[in-house]
Amino acid sequence: MRRFVLGAAVTALLCGFTAPEATKDRAYYEKRGEIIWEVPGESKKIALTFDDGPYPVTTEPILDLLKEYHAKATFFVVGTRVEQFPETVKREIAEGHEVANHTFNHIYFQQKKNSEVMQSEIVRTEEALEQITGKKPLLFRPPGGFYNEQMIQIAKKYGYTTVLWSWHQDTNDWRSPGVQKIVNKVLKNARNGDIILLHDYVPRSMQTVEALKLILPELQKRGYEMVTVSDLIHNRDSVLNPY
């Protein structure tokens, strides 16, 4: 078997082939601080995140609920909808939530693309948000959670930290699986430092809104503080580097 492997490697070299790049897994990116999936710790803090908005039909009632339960959240927004619904973005900021970059056209980066396309998707949303809020967003989430080395480096180039979500907290609410399934996914798996994936753009579905009516009071009852992703990261950094 060793002879076969060695022979194949020699043949590949003689034919001009190169070995594929070694896979860079979650541990690699977490160690380098280039992607964040969750921020475990002793504090009972948890981050609710909402993708694909703004979309007033669902985003506005979500904001009402967050306000009612004194909860903060992070909204990963799509640039085209930012331009459509600037007032909803302004409300998110005014009420102490975090607004982050989720590309301009919700393009998936599961495969390498022209770097100019990737940069444009990030920069156009950044410019749209800066025009409305006066501030540059600091966090980036690739649509679908698809990423590659090229995307990571482009995000870093523009000053972003890439944020995904806790693997045990993917609610799949975009599929409209039923209110109780969304509720159970969050509450049965809640842990300190979780980053929970939800969506505030699910056309013709109010399941996420209805689920939040059960999730928010229960998390509050359990003693969780619902904070932005940046607050979660800052809390971790403060613990690791107290001085």
Side-chain angles (χ1 to χ4, degrees), residues 197-235:
L197 175 61
L198 296 155
H199 293 76
D200 60 325
Y201 176 71
V202 184
R204 298 175 298 281
S205 175
M206 296 296 285
Q207 290 185 8
T208 301
V209 175
E210 294 303 313
L212 284 169
K213 293 178 182 179
L214 301 173
I215 291 169
L216 291 170
E218 181 59 27
L219 287 177
Q220 190 177 75
K221 180 181 176 182
R222 294 183 190 182
Y224 282 105
E225 181 183 0
M226 286 154 275
V227 302
T228 66
V229 172
S230 285
D231 284 340
L232 207 59
I233 295 170
H234 177 73
N235 180 67

Side-chain angles (χ1 to χ4, degrees), residues 9-184:
V10 172
T11 300
L13 289 171
L14 291 175
C15 292
F17 297 123
T18 57
E21 183 180 353
T23 301
K24 296 175 180 177
D25 59 8
R26 171 172 171 169
Y28 172 87
Y29 287 111
E30 277 189 319
K31 184 176 181 180
R32 294 163 62 92
E34 292 179 335
I35 303 180
I36 293 174
W37 278 265
E38 57 204 357
V39 188
E42 296 299 320
S43 299
K44 296 201 73 171
K45 296 178 185 289
I46 206 163
L48 300 171
T49 66
F50 297 89
D51 284 11
D52 299 353
Y55 185 59
V57 173
T58 42
T59 308
E60 295 288 343
I62 285 171
L63 289 169
D64 292 341
L65 286 165
L66 293 173
K67 186 175 183 179
E68 179 180 352
Y69 290 98
H70 309 287
K72 303 304 178 187
T74 299
F75 291 86
F76 287 91
V77 297
V78 174
T80 53
R81 294 192 187 102
V82 169
E83 292 185 342
Q84 281 182 284
F85 308 113
E87 294 306 314
T88 301
V89 176
K90 290 177 182 178
R91 181 183 172 188
E92 290 170 350
I93 293 293
E95 295 184 2
H97 304 293
E98 181 171 34
V99 178
N101 196 322
H102 197 45
T103 73
F104 195 79
N105 293 293
H106 204 265
I107 288 180
Y108 293 116
F109 295 146
Q110 67 265 48
Q111 296 178 341
K112 287 188 176 181
K113 293 183 180 293
N114 184 304
S115 62
E116 291 183 1
V117 172
M118 285 187 171
Q119 291 180 70
S120 175
E121 283 293 311
I122 293 172
V123 170
R124 289 179 72 188
T125 298
E126 178 179 308
E127 290 174 346
L129 286 173
E130 284 187 321
Q131 186 173 355
I132 293 169
T133 70
K135 295 193 301 183
K136 170 185 163 39
L138 301 175
L139 305 181
F140 171 70
R141 174 175 283 168
F146 293 113
Y147 63 89
N148 54 51
E149 181 67 18
Q150 179 190 27
M151 187 223 78
I152 296 298
Q153 295 311 315
I154 289 173
K156 284 181 64 178
K157 173 184 174 182
Y158 286 96
Y160 287 93
T161 297
T162 298
V163 175
L164 295 181
W165 55 84
S166 303
W167 284 347
H168 56 281
Q169 288 289 11
D170 182 352
T171 63
N172 278 305
D173 62 334
W174 61 275
R175 296 178 182 269
S176 299
V179 171
Q180 200 57 50
K181 284 191 176 180
I182 298 170
V183 172
N184 290 345

